[in-house]
Each structure stands twice: as C-alpha cells, then as structure tokens.
Amino acid sequence: MTSAGSVGGDDRLRLFLALRLPAAALGALQTWQHEHLRGVRVVPREHLHVTLAFLGSRPAGELEAIVGALREASAGVAREIRLAPERYREGRSVGMLVLDDEAGRATALAGDVQERLERLGVYRREGRPWLPHVTVARFRERPRLQPSPPPDRTFVPSDAAAYLSRLRPSGAQYEVLESVALGDVGGE
C-alpha cells in the first residue's frame, strides 16, 4: 500500500474506489475461475474487487478529498455488507459475476460514495444503475461462456479502498493507495 500523501499533486492518477474481498472469497473465486473459465484472460486474484466508482484520470491533488469521501461514506455502514455470486454475465470485453446484495447495503454505500464524489466535482454517475459485480475475466471477443456461478458463498467485504490503475500491455495493474474500514459492521 502506498501512502496517499506520497503522490505528487501535479501527477494524474487513474483511480477507482472498491470493496475489497476477504481471503476466503478470493480463494473460492480463484478456484472457480480456473475450473470454469476457458479461452479468456482470467483476472488475477489480487485484482478481484467490487468497484464502487471508477473515476478515471484525476489530478493527484484530488486524492485526499476522494479518499475522504470514501472514508466518510464507509464510516456510515452500520451493518455488514453481505454479497453472494448470483450469475455469470458477459459484457463487450469482460466476464463478471453479478452479486446478490443482501439488504442492498453495498448498493447504498455505492450511492453514498458516488453522491459525495459528485459534490466534490470529481465524478459523474453512469446513466445505468450501479450493478454489484466482480470482474473475473477479460477478452477481445465474447467467448459466450455459460458457467454456473460458484456455490452460494456469501461473503462480507473486508474493507474499501482507493486504487491506482496503471495500464500495461499485459493488462491493468492495480495498487491500493489507501484502505478504509467499513463502519460499525457488527452494529445494529
């Protein structure tokens, strides 16, 4: 993890905010990927996450305020976010596991984060509703896979984080710049 303060203010950063997955969920997803996904570039275990907001290229000087918005929204999470793989879906260039968001808590957090980022003037919501998912594969042509989702394994995200995404010929490389706790996850 890099300290947010060590990034230069004039630099531009390709940023996104996401929920991080616990080790057990990462292991189960990794096993499922290798058993069911053929002919695609499997997303590495260390890159599996649930995106809350993709900000794209932003001035590094905005990072502190962006992390502050994530921290404030995450502190408001009063109960566990519980997610479970529901179905596999393919987009133009990615395969994803769509997640069941028990009680809508991840959706509420994503909405809160996005609203705070909009107020900062660093983000504009997409026209479609936020979809809780984990990108598990990338491809140039849709392979039209139809795997069953992993067995119902509900998981609780470990925390939320601001990520730096660096584009490389081999694919994007992600680095956690700062992580934040998810409120009082045991509270009523």
Side-chain angles (χ1 to χ4, degrees):
M1 183 175 351
T2 301
S3 166
S6 68
V7 179
D10 293 336
D11 296 333
R12 292 198 66 86
L13 307 172
R14 189 169 187 262
L15 299 173
F16 66 92
L17 306 179
L19 293 170
R20 297 198 313 167
L21 309 183
L26 290 171
L29 289 176
Q30 184 179 34
T31 298
W32 177 86
Q33 287 174 301
H34 293 290
E35 290 174 355
H36 297 281
L37 303 180
R38 302 282 181 250
V40 298
R41 191 173 73 214
V42 171
V43 173
R45 174 187 172 117
E46 62 273 12
H47 290 179
L48 298 173
H49 61 271
V50 179
T51 302
L52 296 169
F54 179 77
L55 289 92
S57 179
R58 302 301 314 167
E62 295 177 353
L63 182 59
E64 187 176 331
I66 290 168
V67 171
L70 177 63
R71 185 177 293 108
E72 290 168 7
S74 297
V77 175
R79 293 194 174 155
E80 284 183 338
I81 292 174
R82 299 178 62 78
L83 301 167
E86 187 174 74
R87 62 188 164 87
Y88 175 80
R89 173 181 167 180
E90 290 179 356
R92 282 192 320 264
S93 60
V94 300
M96 64 184 78
L97 283 173
V98 176
L99 304 172
D100 174 41
D101 178 14
E102 183 182 299
R105 293 182 186 127
T107 302
L109 174 60
D112 189 9
V113 166
Q114 292 170 10
E115 183 178 313
R116 289 171 189 274
L117 295 171
E118 284 179 321
R119 285 195 307 254
L120 288 173
V122 300
Y123 181 77
R124 187 171 12 170
R125 290 182 209 228
E126 296 181 16
R128 59 183 181 231
W130 181 77
L131 178 68
H133 70 278
V134 176
T135 299
V136 293
R138 298 193 183 280
F139 40 77
R140 292 196 191 285
E141 285 187 37
R142 277 190 192 175
R144 307 226 185 269
L145 300 174
Q146 297 179 342
S148 297
D152 184 25
R153 289 188 181 235
T154 299
F155 65 88
V156 176
S158 54
D159 57 3
Y163 284 83
L164 173 64
S165 173
R166 290 189 175 101
L167 298 179
R168 308 263 191 239
S170 61
Q173 297 296 305
Y174 304 148
E175 177 185 346
V176 172
L177 294 175
E178 191 164 333
S179 61
V180 301
L182 294 174
D184 179 16
V185 295
E188 292 299 318

